[in-house]
Amino acid sequence: MPRCIVDLTAYYLGLALQEKCGECFGCREVLARICELLRQISRGEGEISLLDELSSLAEQVLLGEACPASRIGARMVKEALANYDEEFAAHLTERYCPAGVCDIRYVVEV
C-alpha cells in the first residue's frame, strides 16, 4: 500500500504530540501549528509558501529551548521537507497526492 509522506509526517507528529511536555513553547504553540499546516497541505489547501512556514516553525523549535518530544517532531518535519519536497509541493501546486492517499478535493472553476 502506498504511503504519502505528508500523511506519514502528520501521523508521526501526532505521536510526538502525545509525548509532549506541554510546558515549552515548542509543545504549546509550534507543534500544534505544524500539525494544522500538515492537515491543510494534505487537503491540498493553501499556497506553496506554507512549506516555508512549516520549515521555519520546525527550525524555530530546533533552535529554541524545547523538550525532546517537540525536537523529535520538528526534526521529522525538517527531514521530510528536505527529502520529499516534490511530494509536498505536488499537494499545493498541483492539488494532487502522488501516493493517492490524501483526501484532496478538486475544485473546478467555471
Side-chain angles (χ1 to χ4, degrees):
M1 178 173 163
R3 293 299 307 215
C4 171
I5 195 64
V6 176
D7 183 55
L8 278 173
T9 304
Y11 173 77
Y12 285 116
L13 185 62
L15 293 177
L17 279 169
Q18 290 178 9
E19 300 300 321
K20 68 182 182 176
C21 72
E23 296 175 15
C24 69
F25 180 71
C27 282
R28 285 192 326 269
E29 305 292 330
V30 182
L31 287 186
R33 176 66 180 148
I34 288 173
C35 244
E36 180 182 315
L37 288 175
L38 287 171
R39 282 192 299 272
Q40 202 174 341
I41 292 167
S42 73
R43 292 188 307 261
E45 298 171 355
E47 301 301 320
I48 196 74
S49 61
L50 285 184
L51 299 182
D52 291 333
E53 182 180 354
L54 201 57
S55 180
S56 176
L57 288 168
E59 191 66 28
Q60 187 178 358
V61 171
L62 292 172
L63 293 175
E65 292 185 26
C67 71
S70 59
R71 286 187 177 283
I72 289 169
R75 196 171 304 114
M76 281 189 298
V77 169
K78 289 291 283 186
E79 290 296 319
L81 287 170
N83 293 304
Y84 300 95
D85 58 328
E86 291 175 0
E87 194 166 332
F88 276 89
H91 284 75
L92 296 170
T93 58
E94 300 170 35
R95 308 291 187 231
Y96 166 74
C97 176
V101 173
C102 294
D103 188 25
I104 295 178
R105 304 278 187 229
Y106 295 97
V107 176
V108 178
E109 294 184 22
V110 181

